[in-house]
Amino acid sequence: VPFHLNPDLSDLAAEATRGLQDHFSAKSDFTAAAPGRVNLIGEHIDYCGGLVLPLAIHRYVVICATLNGSSQARIHSATTKETATIDLSSPVEVGEIPWANYLRGVLRGFQNRGHHLPGFDAFIVSSIPHGAGLSSSAALTCALATLLEGLLDTVLPTREKAKLCQQAEHDFAQVPCGIMDPFTCAYAQADHLIYIDCQTEEIERIPFGDPELTFLIANTMVRHQLSDGAYASRRREAEEGLRLLGKNQWQDVTRSEVEERWEELGDPINRRALHIVNEIFRTTLAVSAIHRNSIESLSSLMSASHHSLSDLFEVSCSELDLMVQLARNIGPAGGVLGSRMTGGGFGGSTVTLCEIDKLPDIAASLSRDYKKATGITPQLFASRPAQGAQLIR
Ligand code: GLA
């Protein structure tokens, strides 16, 4: 098979329900699903108050649960086959099992908002490959937050829910992520891109429902060690750059200001700054290209974004560069309309805009050529923009 089909959301929900039954002998009362995402353009600028243009994909974390009458949450993951037991009678703290800390952070977020949490049993399944840069962690936190809305019979304002999830990741998993992933997960709508102004936190949903186009996601299957430390250091460099430029926000910085102060900023801050201002501008251009239906401009913006991430921001790697190059070699004649790395980088996935009828050939060729060059079989699947976090029942 050249590429993997997306498992149906209803099949995942059924799997979670069966898991809850087998593992806890309990019937499911609530099921929540939250999607992964790819970012079309606007990379590594959410934490700079920039503009980003992601979409949710048809890959999900699904949690189903039932109240257990105790003061404990018992949560089992089908992926790691571990159960986290979390005491809810006092403020939840960081504890054992790394993935469970994302959940603890969400539970604490609800407690901090004055909610008394009842004990529950939960079973989690996921079709989002872990470590593939597809935001499996925001999907995990958003799925639990959505489930808790069901259990508590309450609805948080979407922005507050997304911020609670981001905070959980900051405080309980020590990942200084931006708002892009939880906002996408919480706000996404089928057949729309989510245009987020990360400075004002305003969002706009942009229709992207052309039935002839689809996104091909190619997981390189590599994840380089330096990813966490390097992410935090890019954040620091960006803050330092803004300080040296004497500005309050990146959206006020122009390209010529960066160029005029190139020497003063010094390397690598000057290159980081140039990426940030150009990438913010490219995202605005991509939005107008989509409004004009100019796929050609979108395609060159995606290429420029990738090169900038590779050369100036230095968050790509040889495998991502190769995957993007292979897609570009296929080109528009073969149905490839644009390709770039997506997400945090240092491995993970690329996103390629494709003509849907050429998808099988594109996937077969990427898979074959990537394997030939690296010895690694990539994981490929297609998705159109999906719905955000939701209670299924
Ligand atoms: C990770 C972070 C996001 C964003 C991207 C890069 O996915 O979680 O907040 O910074 O990297 O665009």
Side-chain angles (χ1 to χ4, degrees), residues 37 43-44 46-47 177-178 180-181 231 343-344:
R37 64 99 192 90
E43 209 70 84
H44 273 274
D46 63 341
Y47 53 80
C177 59
M180 174 168 76
D181 301 350
Y231 186 86

Side-chain angles (χ1 to χ4, degrees), residues 51-54 193-197 202-206 280 283-285 287 291:
L51 305 167
V52 301
L53 192 60
L193 307 175
I194 311 299
Y195 185 29
I196 310 170
D197 182 328
E202 277 164 65
I203 74 131
E204 187 187 333
R205 296 184 176 94
I206 298 187
I280 291 174
T283 306
T284 65
L285 295 179
V287 170
H291 286 317

Side-chain angles (χ1 to χ4, degrees), residues 37 39 42-47 52 133-135 137-138 166 169 175-182 223 231 235 309 340-345:
R37 64 99 192 90
N39 187 15
E43 209 70 84
H44 273 274
I45 54 170
D46 63 341
Y47 53 80
V52 301
L134 301 175
S135 182
S137 54
Q166 183 198 21
E169 202 156 333
V175 182
C177 59
I179 66 169
M180 174 168 76
D181 301 350
R223 190 83 203 151
Y231 186 86
R235 266 199 92 131
L309 288 158
R340 55 181 289 280
M341 61 157 275
T342 191

Side-chain angles (χ1 to χ4, degrees), residues 66-73 86 88 107 115-121 148 151-152:
T66 190
L67 297 175
N68 64 16
S70 80
S71 58
Q72 283 184 336
I86 303 167
L88 302 173
L107 294 165
H115 290 285
H116 169 76
L117 298 175
F120 63 93
D121 292 336
L148 292 177
L151 287 178
L152 295 166

Side-chain angles (χ1 to χ4, degrees), residues 18-320:
R18 267 197 313 277
L20 190 72
Q21 175 70 47
D22 295 349
H23 207 81
F24 296 106
S25 307
K27 285 213 177 350
S28 156
D29 290 323
F30 295 95
T31 305
R37 64 99 192 90
V38 290
N39 187 15
L40 186 57
I41 199 159
E43 209 70 84
H44 273 274
I45 54 170
D46 63 341
Y47 53 80
C48 305
L51 305 167
V52 301
L53 192 60
L55 56 133
I57 56 174
H58 285 283
R59 291 270 164 159
Y60 300 90
V61 167
V62 176
I63 310 188
C64 74
T66 190
L67 297 175
N68 64 16
S70 80
S71 58
Q72 283 184 336
R74 296 187 298 174
I75 309 175
H76 186 85
S77 157
T79 312
T80 68
K81 304 195 169 38
E82 293 164 306
T83 305
T85 302
I86 303 167
D87 177 34
L88 302 173
S89 62
S90 53
V92 171
E93 300 291 348
V94 173
E96 283 171 3
I97 311 183
W99 59 261
N101 281 327
Y102 292 86
L103 305 178
R104 289 189 180 91
V106 172
L107 294 165
R108 180 61 178 269
F110 274 77
Q111 288 178 326
N112 288 347
R113 282 165 180 75
H115 290 285
H116 169 76
L117 298 175
F120 63 93
D121 292 336
F123 195 90
I124 306 181
V125 300
S126 173
S127 60
I128 308 174
H130 183 71
L134 301 175
S135 182
S136 58
S137 54
L140 183 61
T141 55
C142 274
L144 180 62
T146 305
L147 180 87
L148 292 177
E149 288 180 310
L151 287 178
L152 295 166
D153 195 18
T154 185
V155 178
L156 297 187
T158 311
R159 172 172 290 109
E160 187 179 338
K161 179 158 101 175
K163 300 276 274 192
L164 184 157
C165 291
Q166 183 198 21
Q167 200 68 44
E169 202 156 333
H170 282 199
D171 296 347
F172 278 67
Q174 274 69 55
V175 182
C177 59
I179 66 169
M180 174 168 76
D181 301 350
F183 268 58
T184 309
C185 197
Y187 278 106
Q189 190 180 327
D191 290 329
H192 287 74
L193 307 175
I194 311 299
Y195 185 29
I196 310 170
D197 182 328
C198 302
Q199 187 68 45
T200 62
E201 297 183 355
E202 277 164 65
I203 74 131
E204 187 187 333
R205 296 184 176 94
I206 298 187
F208 199 90
D210 187 336
E212 282 166 19
L213 301 181
T214 192
F215 297 95
L216 179 64
I217 294 133
N219 178 4
T220 60
M221 309 299 280
V222 300
R223 190 83 203 151
H224 292 285
Q225 285 295 317
L226 69 169
S227 55
D228 290 353
Y231 186 86
S233 82
R234 292 301 178 282
R235 266 199 92 131
R236 280 196 303 276
E237 288 163 355
E239 276 159 27
E240 178 66 358
L242 193 60
R243 197 186 62 77
L244 291 171
L245 287 159
K247 292 286 174 101
N248 293 321
Q249 52 180 74
W250 277 106
Q251 288 194 42
D252 291 343
V253 181
T254 63
R255 186 191 167 118
S256 50
E257 283 171 320
V258 173
E259 283 167 349
E260 276 157 23
R261 306 187 53 182
W262 194 256
E263 295 307 325
E264 205 183 316
L265 290 171
D267 191 69
I269 306 269
N270 47 16
R271 286 182 296 131
R272 308 292 189 247
L274 190 58
H275 168 77
I276 295 166
V277 294
N278 285 347
E279 187 75 357
I280 291 174
F281 189 50
R282 275 191 288 268
T283 306
T284 65
L285 295 179
V287 170
S288 45
I290 290 165
H291 286 317
R292 292 193 320 272
N293 209 8
S294 169
I295 297 298
E296 228 172 278
S297 330
L298 184 59
S299 172
S300 49
L301 291 165
M302 287 175 78
S303 292
S305 169
H306 183 82
H307 288 304
S308 178
L309 288 158
S310 184
D311 302 338
L312 299 177
F313 219 66
E314 297 179 286
V315 291
S316 187
C317 62
S318 61
E319 294 87 350
L320 284 168

